[in-house]
Amino acid sequence: MAILITGGAGYIGSHTCVQLISQGYKIVVVDSLSNSNIESLNRVSELTDTEFPFYNVNLLDPDSLERVFEENHIDSVIHFAGLKAVGESVLRPLDYYHNNLTGTFNLCKVMEKFHVKKIVFSSSATVYGNPKLVPIKEDAPLSATSPYGQTKLMTEQVLRDLFEADSGWSIALLRYFNPIGAHLSGRIGEDPTGIPNNLMPFISQVAIGKLDQLSIYGNDYATVDGTGVRDYIHVVDLAKGHIKALEHLMGTTGVEAFNLGTGKGYSVLQMVKAFEKATRTAITYSIAPRRPGDIAECYADSTKAKKVLGWVAEKEIEEMCRDTWRWQQRNPHGYKHDQVLT
Ligand code: NAD
Ligand code: WQD
């Protein structure tokens, strides 16, 4: 029996593969490599000293996906595959709806055909839109502020409807807050294409000298110091959350949403200071206008994940910064190791 990991070559997927293998699970990975590099999976093998089947398959191609189910004994799925850039989704909504929704429909149809009814889905804190109350609980009102966010909301609804129609399904909707950090080895980490959109990869590329300075998007929010507050969670803690969710699904049917966050909010300026302290590097920054669509404050109440899954985030912000920096220093150009810094 094996767990199918869609999007397993990506940032969160690759870290989850390492954790799964380390805990004795057999995995099969499917990824189109549209936003990742096969080198991440080579390094998963190297870190775990384990080979596993990999299929360069797009979820938009159901026939190839069926072959994966024919050739492997799959009993559950962790579904990471999707496009994830908020700004890009505003510019290319059709690509986002097509990839994220049709990809999931194809996956679920093939799962049904092969009587596989356990799925852990990568949702996002973005489904809370602009939250009225923090910390955010799972029963807070849901809304979307971008096509990307809509794809997460809609997929959650599709999966709920699937359970309504067939109570044999067992579904976990994991709403991640802001994943950062990297594996302790510095061998796998986040490898954004082009100029990073997200704060942490941006900071670490300033630190290594690839980017000149950080623009802090607004310092007039109603927060501790005027800059945006988020719940940053170590990617290894997040990976472990998937295993807890999967184990929960083994003994139950139903559909449940879980927040995966630390419950602590850090402002942009606090993150800059934390990174500087943990890595002893200076980050040049300036204050820029607010980024359209950004919210002031967002952090999780993860009590439900603790109670139901027995999961809590363990790693603190210092470790998140140190691990991000180790990955960045050892891989200044991510997985494209044939390039050199100029
Ligand atoms: P990522 O881009 O690193 O990984 C996603 C992987 O999916 C990539 O390897 C990509 O090649 C693959 N993929 C995309 N479309 C595919 C398709 N149609 N068929 C096969 N493979 C496909 O992203 P990540 O940060 O690891 O995120 C994983 C999941 O978690 C995504 O669904 C994302 O929306 C969600 N999420 C991410 C964050 C975050 O901040 N990183 C936060 C909340 C939710
Ligand atoms: C964090 C803070 C920015 C970059 C996004 C998605 C969300 C989820 C995680 C997928 C904010 C500020 C950032 C920069 C800055 N992804 N910032 N300068 O926006 O909380 O969440 O990633 O599901 O859906 O929206 O993360 O890292 O982009 O921003 O000042 O160059 O850093 O304004 O306050 P965000 P982020």
Side-chain angles (χ1 to χ4, degrees):
M1 291 296 214
I3 303 159
L4 176 69
I5 317 292
T6 77
Y11 172 45
I12 306 169
S14 55
H15 287 81
T16 305
C17 289
V18 169
Q19 292 305 315
L20 283 164
I21 296 169
S22 308
Q23 294 194 29
Y25 289 99
K26 277 182 72 180
I27 63 166
V28 174
V29 173
V30 159
D31 200 302
S32 62
L33 303 180
S34 63
N35 194 41
S36 51
N37 190 308
I38 189 66
E39 179 61 15
S40 68
L41 292 176
N42 295 337
R43 295 187 186 185
V44 169
S45 281
E46 163 208 300
L47 286 170
T48 56
D49 199 14
T50 302
E51 300 291 325
F52 50 86
F54 166 67
Y55 292 83
N56 185 343
V57 159
N58 196 313
L59 297 187
L60 299 176
D61 170 5
D63 294 339
S64 299
L65 192 58
E66 269 202 47
R67 270 202 300 283
V68 177
F69 279 74
E70 274 159 13
E71 291 173 11
N72 298 277
H73 203 139
I74 289 162
D75 67 347
S76 53
V77 176
I78 305 183
H79 177 32
F80 293 105
L83 298 174
K84 65 162 181 179
V86 174
E88 188 181 61
S89 79
V90 176
L91 301 173
R92 294 171 37 204
L94 293 180
D95 290 341
Y96 272 68
Y97 284 113
H98 184 50
N99 189 75
N100 292 4
L101 295 177
T102 310
T104 306
F105 300 155
N106 288 344
L107 173 67
C108 291
K109 282 214 154 220
V110 177
M111 287 176 70
E112 259 188 337
K113 185 165 175 186
F114 287 81
H115 309 289
V116 178
K117 295 185 180 178
K118 295 184 192 310
I119 182 168
V120 176
F121 171 63
S122 298
S123 189
S124 166
T126 195
V127 299
Y128 297 115
N130 193 346
K132 291 209 167 43
L133 269 181
V134 282
I136 307 169
K137 282 181 186 288
E138 287 82 356
D139 59 5
L142 303 180
S143 68
T145 53
S146 70
Y148 167 73
Q150 275 294 357
T151 69
K152 293 297 178 193
L153 265 185
M154 291 164 86
T155 304
E156 286 200 2
Q157 189 57 49
V158 168
L159 293 173
R160 287 181 192 283
D161 291 345
L162 205 50
F163 174 71
E164 282 305 311
D166 175 356
S167 59
W169 279 85
S170 195
I171 301 166
L173 312 170
L174 301 187
R175 296 175 179 160
Y176 315 154
F177 281 66
N178 290 56
I180 62 169
H183 191 264
L184 182 65
S185 63
R187 293 292 288 158
I188 56 172
E190 187 171 12
D191 183 18
T193 311
I195 296 176
N197 299 308
N198 296 114
L199 180 66
M200 207 48 171
F202 202 109
I203 289 180
S204 57
Q205 290 196 14
V206 171
I208 200 107
K210 281 179 80 178
L211 296 169
D212 289 342
Q213 62 162 354
L214 170 72
S215 296
I216 295 184
Y217 298 139
N219 66 349
D220 57 352
Y221 286 107
T223 61
V224 58
D225 55 24
T227 65
V229 167
R230 298 291 184 274
D231 185 335
Y232 297 93
I233 173 172
H234 197 295
V235 66
V236 171
D237 276 334
L238 191 61
K240 291 177 180 168
H242 290 74
I243 300 179
K244 291 286 189 187
L246 200 67
E247 288 170 352
H248 173 68
L249 295 189
M250 296 303 171
T252 179
T253 58
V255 51
E256 290 265 17
F258 297 98
N259 286 340
L260 297 187
T262 64
K264 289 179 215 145
Y266 284 87
S267 74
V268 179
L269 278 171
Q270 287 170 336
M271 289 304 287
V272 169
K273 299 284 165 252
F275 189 90
E276 289 183 329
K277 189 167 169 223
T279 66
R280 299 204 189 95
T281 53
I283 302 301
T284 312
Y285 66 82
S286 65
I287 305 299
R290 290 182 178 194
R291 183 171 64 178
D294 269 358
I295 56 177
E297 206 164 26
C298 174
Y299 53 95
D301 180 329
S302 288
T303 315
K304 184 177 173 190
K306 184 176 180 186
K307 254 199 214 146
V308 179
L309 306 179
W311 173 90
V312 281
E314 288 167 346
K315 295 177 186 292
E316 298 290 340
I317 216 75
E318 292 73 25
E319 198 172 347
M320 302 185 208
C321 292
R322 274 200 310 272
D323 291 347
T324 300
W325 186 224
R326 188 179 305 105
W327 155 254
Q328 180 69 69
Q329 279 186 303
R330 296 192 183 169
N331 308 271
H333 292 290
Y335 292 113
K336 296 169 216 73
H337 50 90
D338 50 336
Q339 296 175 8
V340 286
L341 271 180
T342 50

